[in-house]
């Protein structure tokens, strides 16, 4: 039986919220201890390792969710899980060998060799990265509790072992531990839901679709992580750190924005075949949620981006304020793109559309990214990111409209627009008053959010009323 979508969303909101808090606390501490150069060195090494981690995942994070969701309904869960686990194991071994060879050849004489090498553990143990299984059976509660426990332990260890600017290796080890810990804990709970078997397996049937989604993921990684790599080559560690911390602020907001709609994929995969009207309603509701929460996030970042960055990471990272402002449109582009341009098309078996758009994004990022980065550093990388994401999602959005009938509603658009105007007015007045940095940030956040919610209630915004009703029932 499918679990309550509301319960899954509540778990995911809690999980994503804590997932935002822990990295922000970590970044605030690490930025002040390691400073821009140290943060940049580890961020660059991690960006290289993540290319190989993408290969090791082999497209399973999304393909696996869809197949497990369907196998759960079809009664073939043990077989499909066993096949996917074997595929995952082969990909992890090959990727680890390739990464170690690269590190020895390219970074063997580098002073950061040990930092690069430690991330090989994360790639090797990707064998146990079976979050796709838990998400496919909609066990979002377990995913939330497990991830929070591992992050809390990693944070405590970080305070104990990363104490000065020379502790970059310890920081890299703890980043690795935070990922690997999740992988290993996955195994202990597994037998409650599924059993591994060698009988009747046909793992080769998964290679073709998984390899295709791998190609899509690699292309996405190329334009998604390319700017960090290019900044490391053309602009140095400090610009990498500014871009990395600006991106971390943006990603924190994006995680919160996608917390509700991020659990839609298993349900959409079932509804597309069985109940098209319910499929259309769920997608339309998701779009309204993304717009309602995404727009005020963009407005607040445009007004207070510099203050947010300086408060979180210290004055040494003040240049990252312009980076996060330039990245802010990605909240809407990637938010809507995740639902309309990925989940909808994946549920509709239209993943063949992904690859051309990803290559278009990579091409745009290369063509405009290199000159922009050489001229503007981290800000150039931010502009290139927005342009490349637009190139990826615009054509896919048009394709997705052929698969789903979306109804947002004029009343909702007007209500949300009025609420944004009210919020903008409050922020403008606060800026004119000129409050101190931290106090001003807190006051502006509280007052602007209050204005947005009050305006939404007065204009009877359906998303706002839905959320308030759910909270009242709890």
């Amino acid at each position: 039986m499918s679990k309550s979508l509301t319960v899954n969303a509540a778990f995911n909101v809690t999980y994503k919220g804590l997932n935002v808090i822990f990295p922000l606390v970590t970044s605030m501490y690490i930025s002040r201890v390691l400073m821009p150069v140290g943060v940049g060195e580890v961020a660059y090494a991690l960006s290289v390792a993540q290319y190989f981690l993408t290969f090791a995942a082999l497209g399973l994070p999304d393909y696996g969710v869809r197949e497990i969701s369907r196998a759960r309904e079809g009664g073939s869960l043990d077989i499909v899980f066993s096949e996917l686990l074997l595929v995952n194991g082969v990909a992890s071994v090959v990727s680890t060998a390739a990464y170690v060879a690269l590190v020895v050849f390219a970074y063997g004489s580098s002073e950061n060799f040990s930092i690069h090498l430690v991330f090989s553990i994360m790639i090797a143990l990707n064998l146990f990265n079976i979050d796709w299984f838990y998400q496919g059976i909609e066990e979002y509660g377990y995913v939330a509790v497990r991830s929070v426990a591992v992050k809390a332990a990693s944070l405590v260890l970080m305070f104990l072992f990363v104490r000065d600017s020379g502790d970059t290796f310890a920081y890299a080890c703890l980043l690795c531990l935070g990922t690997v810990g999740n992988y290993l804990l996955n195994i202990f709970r597994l037998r409650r839901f599924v059993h591994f078997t060698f009988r009747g397996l046909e793992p080769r049937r998964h290679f073709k679709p998984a390899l295709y989604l791998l190609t899509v993921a690699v292309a996405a990684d190329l334009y998604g992580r390319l700017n960090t790599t290019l900044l490391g080559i053309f602009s140095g560690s400090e610009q990498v750190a500014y871009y990395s911390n600006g991106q971390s602020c943006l990603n924190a907001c994006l995680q919160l924005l996608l917390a509700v709609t991020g659990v839609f994929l298993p349900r959409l995969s079932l509804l597309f075949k069985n109940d098209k009207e319910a499929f259309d309603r769920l997608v339309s509701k998701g779009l309204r949620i993304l717009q309602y929460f995404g727009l005020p996030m963009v407005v607040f970042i445009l007004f207070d981006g510099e203050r947010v960055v300086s408060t979180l990471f210290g004055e040494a990272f003040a240049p990252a304020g312009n980076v996060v402002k330039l990245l802010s449109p990605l909240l809407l582009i990637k938010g809507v793109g995740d639902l309309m341009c990925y989940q909808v098309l994946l549920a509709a078996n239209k993943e063949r559309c992904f690859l051309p758009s990803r290559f278009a994004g990579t091409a745009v990022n290369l063509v405009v990214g290199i000159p922009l980065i050489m001229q503007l550093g981290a800000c150039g990388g931010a502009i290139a990111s927005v342009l490349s994401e637009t190139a990826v999602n615009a054509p896919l959005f048009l394709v997705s409209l052929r698969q789903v009938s979306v109804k947002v509603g004029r009343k909702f658009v007007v209500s949300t627009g009025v609420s944004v105007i009210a919020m903008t007015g409050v922020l403008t007045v606060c800026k004119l008053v000129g409050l101190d940095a931290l106090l001003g940030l807190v006051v502006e956040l509280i007052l602007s959010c209050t204005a947005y919610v009050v305006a939404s209630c007065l204009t009877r915004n359906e998303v706002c009323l839905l959320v308030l009703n759910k909270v009242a029932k709890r």
Side-chain angles (χ1 to χ4, degrees):
M1 288 291 292
S2 295
K3 299 187 177 182
S4 166
L5 199 59
T6 301
V7 172
N8 287 337
F11 275 125
N12 208 41
V13 168
T14 304
Y15 165 54
K16 294 294 186 182
L18 292 172
N19 254 12
V20 167
I21 293 172
F22 282 121
L24 282 179
V25 172
T26 300
S27 296
M28 290 168 65
Y29 177 72
I30 291 298
S31 297
R32 288 166 169 79
V33 174
L34 299 184
M35 302 305 289
V37 173
V39 172
E41 289 173 350
V42 177
Y44 176 71
L46 182 59
S47 73
V48 174
Q50 283 175 328
Y51 287 119
F52 290 84
L53 194 59
T54 300
F55 277 98
L58 201 66
L60 292 181
D62 293 304
Y63 175 76
V65 172
R66 186 183 71 185
E67 295 304 303
I68 290 296
S69 176
R70 292 174 178 175
R72 181 183 56 169
E73 296 296 317
S76 57
L77 191 59
D78 287 353
I79 291 175
V80 171
F81 168 76
S82 302
E83 290 171 343
L84 293 177
L85 188 64
L86 288 175
V87 171
N88 196 22
V90 171
S92 298
V93 171
V94 173
S95 298
T96 303
Y99 177 74
V100 172
L102 172 72
V103 167
V104 172
F105 176 75
Y107 304 103
S109 58
S110 168
E111 61 181 13
N112 293 325
F113 171 71
S114 58
I115 294 177
H116 284 277
L117 191 61
V118 75
F119 287 126
S120 65
I121 300 172
M122 187 165 61
I123 301 170
L125 293 180
N126 180 72
L127 166 65
F128 303 114
N129 180 14
I130 51 174
D131 278 3
W132 42 265
F133 172 76
Y134 289 106
Q135 291 167 3
I137 62 172
E138 300 188 60
E139 276 291 316
Y140 288 96
Y142 165 71
V143 173
V145 173
R146 180 214 64 192
S147 299
V148 169
V150 171
K151 278 182 168 51
S154 298
L155 184 61
V156 172
L157 292 173
M158 204 161 291
F159 288 141
L160 292 175
F161 293 105
V162 182
R163 309 298 294 273
D164 59 54
S165 59
D167 290 333
T168 52
F169 179 71
Y171 175 48
C173 289
L174 290 171
L175 283 178
C176 185
L177 178 64
T179 300
V180 169
N182 285 317
Y183 296 170
L184 297 178
L185 286 176
N186 280 336
I187 305 303
F188 294 108
R189 189 177 168 85
L190 196 58
R191 293 188 65 183
R192 292 183 57 181
F193 306 103
V194 70
H195 294 87
F196 184 82
T197 179
F198 283 106
R199 294 181 180 179
L201 300 186
E202 297 179 31
R204 285 185 298 178
R205 67 191 175 106
H206 299 289
F207 273 104
K208 187 175 181 179
L211 282 171
Y212 181 82
L213 286 177
L214 168 63
T215 308
V216 173
V218 169
D221 259 18
L222 281 175
Y223 76 80
R225 306 189 195 281
L226 190 58
N227 289 326
T228 301
T229 306
L230 292 175
L231 282 165
I233 295 170
F234 294 112
S235 300
S237 296
E238 286 194 9
Q239 291 297 319
V240 172
Y242 298 146
Y243 181 81
S244 177
N245 277 13
Q247 199 173 44
S248 70
C249 285
L250 193 283
N251 287 340
C253 295
L254 188 62
Q255 283 194 55
L256 290 175
L257 182 60
L258 297 179
V260 175
T261 58
V263 303
F264 281 14
L265 180 57
R267 193 63 52 88
L268 289 174
S269 298
L270 294 174
L271 291 178
F272 185 79
K273 286 188 173 183
N274 303 320
D275 191 342
K276 189 62 169 54
E277 289 186 3
F279 178 85
D280 292 345
R281 287 196 301 272
L282 183 56
V283 174
S284 298
K285 180 185 287 187
L287 271 180
R288 290 192 290 270
I289 290 169
L290 290 169
Q291 292 176 60
Y292 181 76
F293 290 105
L295 283 168
M297 287 182 179
V298 173
V299 171
F300 190 81
I301 289 173
L302 290 175
F303 270 88
D304 272 317
E306 296 101 333
R307 190 180 290 182
V308 169
V309 169
S310 297
T311 301
L312 291 176
F313 308 121
E315 290 299 326
F317 287 86
N322 288 328
V323 174
V324 75
K325 282 186 173 184
L326 290 169
L327 289 171
S328 62
L330 291 180
L331 286 172
L332 294 174
I333 296 171
K334 295 182 79 167
V336 173
D338 177 73
L339 178 62
M340 290 291 292
C341 307
Y342 198 77
Q343 293 193 59
V344 166
L345 294 179
L346 192 61
N349 294 316
K350 296 293 182 181
E351 57 265 29
R352 290 286 171 184
C353 302
F354 295 157
L355 192 55
S357 69
R358 296 308 194 271
F359 281 132
T362 303
V364 169
N365 211 349
L366 278 172
V367 171
V368 303
I370 292 176
L372 283 172
I373 284 171
M374 293 179 72
Q375 290 292 321
L376 302 174
C379 288
I383 295 170
S385 288
V386 173
L387 294 175
S388 63
E389 284 290 345
T390 302
V392 167
N393 287 301
L396 290 178
F397 185 81
L398 296 177
V399 174
S400 70
L401 289 177
R402 300 174 190 169
Q403 309 300 322
V404 61
S405 177
V406 175
K407 296 178 181 178
V408 175
R410 181 180 176 183
K411 181 181 178 182
F412 170 79
V413 173
V414 172
S415 172
T416 305
V418 170
S419 302
V420 167
I421 292 171
M423 180 182 186
T424 303
V426 169
L427 287 170
T428 302
V429 172
C430 289
K431 286 294 180 186
L432 293 174
V433 173
L435 297 171
D436 292 337
L438 181 57
L439 176 62
L441 185 63
V442 174
V443 170
E444 288 178 22
L445 181 62
I446 293 173
L447 292 180
S448 62
C449 288
T450 301
Y452 189 76
V453 173
V454 169
S456 297
C457 291
L458 292 175
T459 55
R460 307 296 294 174
N461 187 286
E462 62 180 279
V463 173
C464 180
L465 296 179
L466 175 66
V467 172
L468 292 177
N469 286 334
K470 292 289 183 182
V471 171
K473 288 179 180 179
R474 295 293 173 184

